C-alpha cells in the first residue's frame, strides 16, 4: 500500500496521494483545480468579455463615423461640382463696362430723388389730413415698415458704393455714400456706428480724389463715433486713413502720430493682425522722412520680426523690406548691415526666379560701388557686370543713365591695373 514519490524523501500512502485526483471515464486521474485558480479563470473570462464589449462598441462607432465620412464626402463632391459650374458661369459672363455702371448709378440717384420727394409729400399729407379711422398701432406699423425700407435702401447704396470703389470709380461712388450718410443719420441719429461706416468710406474716397480738407472732416467725425462704440479694428482703420492723408500732404509729424496710435490699437487687439506690419512700415518711412533714422530702423526691424513669424522666409514682402532696410542702413553709415540686407534681398528675388529684376540690378549696382570703395575690386566688377546684364535684359539702351554709368565703371576698373603699373606702384 506504500509508494515512493519521485524526487521525494518520504513515504506516502497511495490512498492519500489519490485524494486530490479525479477519476476520468478512461480510468486516468486528473488534478482537481484549486479555488485560487478558479477565481483567476473567472477574472480572465470577465476581462475577455469586457474587451469583447469594448471592441463591439468601437466597431459600431467606426461604422457610424464611416457613414458620416461618406456623407460628408458626398457633400464635398456636390459642392465642388457646384463650384465648377459657378466658375463656368462666371467665365461665360461678360464684364460690366463703365457705361453700364454709369447707367446703374444714374438710375439709383434718380430713384433716391423720387423716394425723398415721395416721403416729403407723404409727410405733408399726414400733417394736413388726420384720419380719424387710423389708430396708433397702425401708424407705428407703417412707420416701422418705412424704416425697414430705408434701411434696405441704405445697405444697397452702401454696397454699390463699395463696388464702385473696388473698381476705382471714386467720383461715381460719392453720391452713394452721401445718400447712405443722410439716410442713416435720419434713421439712427448722428452717433450710430453705421453712420461712422458711411463717414469712413466717404472720407476714404475724398482722400483718393485729393479733396483732403473734406476728407479730414469726415474721417475725424468717423473716428469720434468709432471711439464711442469702442471698436478697435475700425478705430485703427480710420487712424490709418488719417495717417495716410497727412503722409500724402507731407505733414509728417501728424502722420507719425496717427501711425503710432494706429499701431498701438492693433497691438492691444491682436499682435498677429496682418495690418500691423504694414502700419509699422509706414511709420518707419515717416520717421525716415523726419530724419529720425534710428527710430525708423527700429520700426522696420519690428515689422520684419512679425513677417518672419507669419510668412515664409523667402516671401517677396520680406525681400522688399530687406531692401528698404538696406537703403536706410547705408544712409546711417552702417555699410556691413546695408550689405547684409541687400544680400538677403538678392537671394530671395533670385530664389523666386526673378533673374531680370530691376531691384536686383539696383542692389548689385550699390554693392559694386561698396566693394570698389573697400578695395574689393573683383567683387565690384562681378556685381557691375551682372547688373549691366540685367538692365540690358530689361531693354535698357546704352543711352540709359544706369547703363552708361555701369559701362564707365567697368571700363575704369579694367584700366586701373595698367595705370598703376605705369605709375610704378
Amino acid at each position: 500500500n506504500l509508494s515512493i514519490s519521485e524526487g521525494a524523501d518520504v513515504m506516502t500512502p497511495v490512498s492519500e496521494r489519490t485524494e486530490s485526483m479525479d477519476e476520468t471515464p478512461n480510468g486516468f486521474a486528473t488534478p482537481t483545480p484549486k479555488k485560487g485558480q478558479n477565481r483567476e479563470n473567472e477574472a480572465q473570462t470577465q476581462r475577455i468579455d469586457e474587451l469583447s464589449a469594448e471592441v463591439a462598441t468601437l466597431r459600431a462607432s467606426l461604422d457610424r463615423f464611416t457613414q458620416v465620412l461618406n456623407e460628408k464626402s458626398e457633400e464635398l463632391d456636390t459642392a465642388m461640382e457646384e463650384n465648377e459650374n459657378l466658375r463656368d458661369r462666371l467665365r461665360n459672363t461678360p464684364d460690366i463696362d463703365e457705361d453700364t455702371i454709369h447707367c446703374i448709378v444714374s438710375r439709383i440717384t434718380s430713384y433716391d430723388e423720387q423716394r425723398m420727394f415721395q416721403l416729403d409729400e407723404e409727410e405733408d399729407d399726414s400733417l394736413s389730413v388726420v384720419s380719424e379711422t387710423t389708430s396708433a398701432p397702425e401708424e407705428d406699423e407703417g412707420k416701422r415698415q418705412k424704416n425697414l425700407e430705408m434701411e434696405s435702401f441704405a445697405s444697397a447704396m452702401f454696397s454699390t458704393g463699395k463696388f464702385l470703389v473696388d473698381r476705382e470709380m471714386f467720383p461715381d461712388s460719392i453720391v452713394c455714400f452721401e445718400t447712405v450718410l443722410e439716410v442713416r443719420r435720419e434713421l439712427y441719429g448722428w452717433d450710430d456706428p453705421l453712420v461712422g461706416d458711411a463717414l469712413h468710406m466717404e472720407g476714404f474716397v475724398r482722400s483718393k480724389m485729393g479733396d483732403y480738407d473734406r476728407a479730414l472732416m469726415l474721417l475725424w467725425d468717423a473716428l469720434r463715433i468709432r471711439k464711442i462704440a469702442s471698436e478697435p479694428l475700425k478705430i485703427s482703420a480710420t487712424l490709418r486713413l488719417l495717417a495716410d492723408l497727412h503722409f500724402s500732404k507731407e505733414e509728417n509729424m501728424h502722420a507719425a502720430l496717427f501711425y503710432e496710435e494706429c499701431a498701438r490699437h492693433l497691438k492691444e487687439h491682436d499682435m498677429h493682425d496682418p495690418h500691423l506690419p504694414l502700419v509699422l512700415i509706414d511709420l518707419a518711412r515717416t520717421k525716415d522722412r523726419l530724419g529720425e533714422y534710428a527710430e525708423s530702423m527700429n520700426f522696420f526691424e519690428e515689422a520684419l520680426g512679425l513677417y518672419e513669424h507669419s510668412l515664409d522666409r523667402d516671401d517677396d514682402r520680406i525681400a522688399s523690406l530687406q531692401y528698404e532696410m538696406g537703403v536706410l542702413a547705408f544712409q546711417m553709415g552702417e555699410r556691413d548691415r546695408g550689405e547684409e540686407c541687400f544680400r538677403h534681398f538678392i537671394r530671395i528675388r533670385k530664389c523666386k526666379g526673378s533673374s531680370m529684376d530691376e531691384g536686383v540690378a539696383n542692389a548689385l549696382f550699390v554693392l559694386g560701388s561698396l566693394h570698389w570703395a573697400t578695395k574689393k575690386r573683383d567683387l565690384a566688377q562681378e556685381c557691375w557686370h551682372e547688373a549691366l546684364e540685367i538692365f540690358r535684359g530689361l531693354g535698357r539702351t546704352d543711352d540709359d543713365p544706369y547703363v552708361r554709368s555701369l559701362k564707365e565703371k567697368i571700363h575704369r576698373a579694367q584700366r586701373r591695373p595698367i595705370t598703376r603699373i605705369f605709375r610704378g606702384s
Side-chain angles (χ1 to χ4, degrees):
N1 296 328
L2 297 176
S3 66
I4 300 176
S5 300
E6 185 178 355
D9 57 354
V10 294
M11 301 294 290
T12 305
V14 175
S15 59
E16 294 180 6
R17 288 193 295 112
T18 57
E19 286 179 356
S20 61
M21 308 290 283
D22 292 334
E23 289 290 336
T24 58
N26 55 10
F28 291 100
T30 59
T32 302
K34 297 181 180 180
K35 293 182 179 180
Q37 292 178 344
N38 289 336
R39 285 195 296 269
E40 185 178 352
N41 291 337
E42 291 175 359
Q44 290 179 354
T45 303
Q46 184 179 359
R47 182 59 180 161
I48 292 172
D49 293 339
E50 291 176 356
L51 291 175
S52 299
E54 290 180 6
V55 170
T57 303
L58 290 173
R59 284 178 176 173
S61 300
L62 180 61
D63 293 339
R64 186 169 64 256
F65 286 129
T66 302
Q67 182 180 358
V68 173
L69 179 61
N70 292 334
E71 292 175 357
K72 294 296 182 183
S73 300
E74 292 177 0
E75 292 178 5
L76 179 61
D77 294 337
T78 304
M80 291 180 66
E81 185 178 354
E82 291 177 355
N83 184 38
E84 192 61 33
N85 293 334
L86 182 59
R87 286 174 180 268
D88 293 337
R89 288 175 59 187
L90 290 174
R91 290 192 199 101
N92 298 328
T93 302
D95 294 334
I96 302 176
D97 56 11
E98 292 192 7
D99 292 337
T100 304
I101 295 173
H102 285 304
C103 179
I104 294 171
V105 173
S106 62
R107 289 183 177 234
I108 291 174
T109 307
S110 62
Y111 172 76
D112 180 49
E113 293 174 353
Q114 293 175 6
R115 184 187 60 82
M116 295 302 294
F117 179 73
Q118 290 175 357
L119 287 176
D120 292 338
E121 282 189 341
E122 290 175 1
E123 288 179 1
D124 293 338
D125 293 340
S126 63
L127 291 174
S128 59
V129 180
V130 179
S131 175
E132 297 180 355
T133 57
T134 304
S135 62
E138 290 177 350
E139 290 179 359
D140 293 340
E141 180 62 25
K143 185 177 180 180
R144 190 182 68 83
Q145 189 64 31
K146 287 180 181 178
N147 289 344
L148 289 174
E149 292 176 0
M150 291 178 70
E151 287 176 5
S152 300
F153 175 75
S155 298
M157 288 292 284
F158 190 80
S159 299
T160 304
K162 291 186 71 174
F163 168 77
L164 296 172
V165 167
D166 291 339
R167 297 181 68 90
E168 298 185 358
M169 301 176 67
F170 301 119
D172 294 317
S173 68
I174 285 289
V175 65
C176 297
F177 295 123
E178 287 177 338
T179 303
V180 172
L181 183 60
E182 181 182 357
V183 172
R184 286 181 174 176
R185 277 176 171 169
E186 182 180 347
L187 286 173
Y188 313 119
W190 286 57
D191 295 337
D192 189 85
L194 292 174
V195 175
D197 294 345
L199 288 165
H200 176 89
M201 287 304 302
E202 186 179 348
F204 169 74
V205 173
R206 296 278 183 188
S207 65
K208 286 293 186 180
M209 295 172 61
D211 188 359
Y212 296 129
D213 294 335
R214 176 64 177 163
L216 195 61
M217 293 173 58
L218 293 165
L219 291 174
W220 266 111
D221 202 10
L223 181 62
R224 176 188 64 82
I225 294 172
R226 289 182 164 184
K227 284 189 173 182
I228 292 173
S230 298
E231 299 173 311
L233 291 180
K234 290 188 175 182
I235 291 171
S236 60
T238 304
L239 285 169
R240 189 178 180 189
L241 280 186
L242 284 165
D244 292 342
L245 189 151
H246 287 294
F247 189 86
S248 299
K249 296 175 68 176
E250 297 188 359
E251 297 173 351
N252 300 314
M253 288 292 295
H254 290 85
L257 291 173
F258 281 114
Y259 281 133
E260 287 176 348
E261 188 178 356
C262 177
R264 186 171 65 253
H265 275 279
L266 288 174
K267 288 177 181 179
E268 290 174 356
H269 179 261
D270 183 7
M271 277 297 297
H272 301 295
D273 189 290
H275 298 97
L276 179 56
L278 300 175
V279 174
L280 292 171
I281 291 171
D282 289 335
L283 178 55
R285 291 168 179 165
T286 308
K287 292 291 185 180
D288 186 11
R289 279 188 178 184
L290 293 169
E292 300 174 7
Y293 299 134
E295 286 194 48
S296 176
M297 183 61 77
N298 290 337
F299 288 122
F300 273 137
E301 288 178 343
E302 188 176 356
L304 179 62
L306 293 172
Y307 272 159
E308 289 176 341
H309 179 76
S310 59
L311 301 176
D312 183 76
R313 64 187 297 267
D314 294 331
D315 193 278
D316 283 333
R317 284 166 286 186
I318 293 179
S320 300
L321 185 53
Q322 290 280 9
Y323 185 88
E324 288 195 66
M325 292 174 66
V327 172
L328 180 59
F330 285 124
Q331 288 178 344
M332 298 171 66
E334 299 180 4
R335 290 184 175 182
D336 292 340
R337 189 175 190 177
E339 180 181 356
E340 182 184 0
C341 291
F342 272 21
R343 291 293 181 191
H344 281 302
F345 167 76
I346 293 171
R347 180 192 62 78
I348 294 174
R349 285 297 177 92
K350 287 185 175 180
C351 178
K352 292 292 185 179
S354 304
S355 56
M356 294 291 110
D357 190 309
E358 185 173 350
V360 173
N362 290 330
L364 289 168
F365 184 97
V366 175
L367 287 177
S369 301
L370 175 64
H371 291 318
W372 183 261
T374 54
K375 308 301 182 182
K376 300 175 183 176
R377 306 188 187 283
D378 293 338
L379 291 176
Q381 290 190 61
E382 290 178 8
C383 291
W384 285 337
H385 275 292
E386 188 175 354
L388 182 60
E389 290 178 5
I390 293 174
F391 279 129
R392 283 176 171 170
L394 293 172
R396 300 283 186 92
T397 62
D398 291 341
D399 295 334
D400 184 86
Y402 280 101
V403 174
R404 187 167 60 249
S405 176
L406 281 168
K407 291 177 67 176
E408 291 174 357
K409 287 178 180 294
I410 293 170
H411 181 67
R412 186 164 58 249
Q414 291 172 344
R415 287 174 50 197
R416 186 84 175 176
I418 300 176
T419 307
R420 291 171 65 87
I421 290 173
F422 277 107
R423 287 179 181 173
S425 55

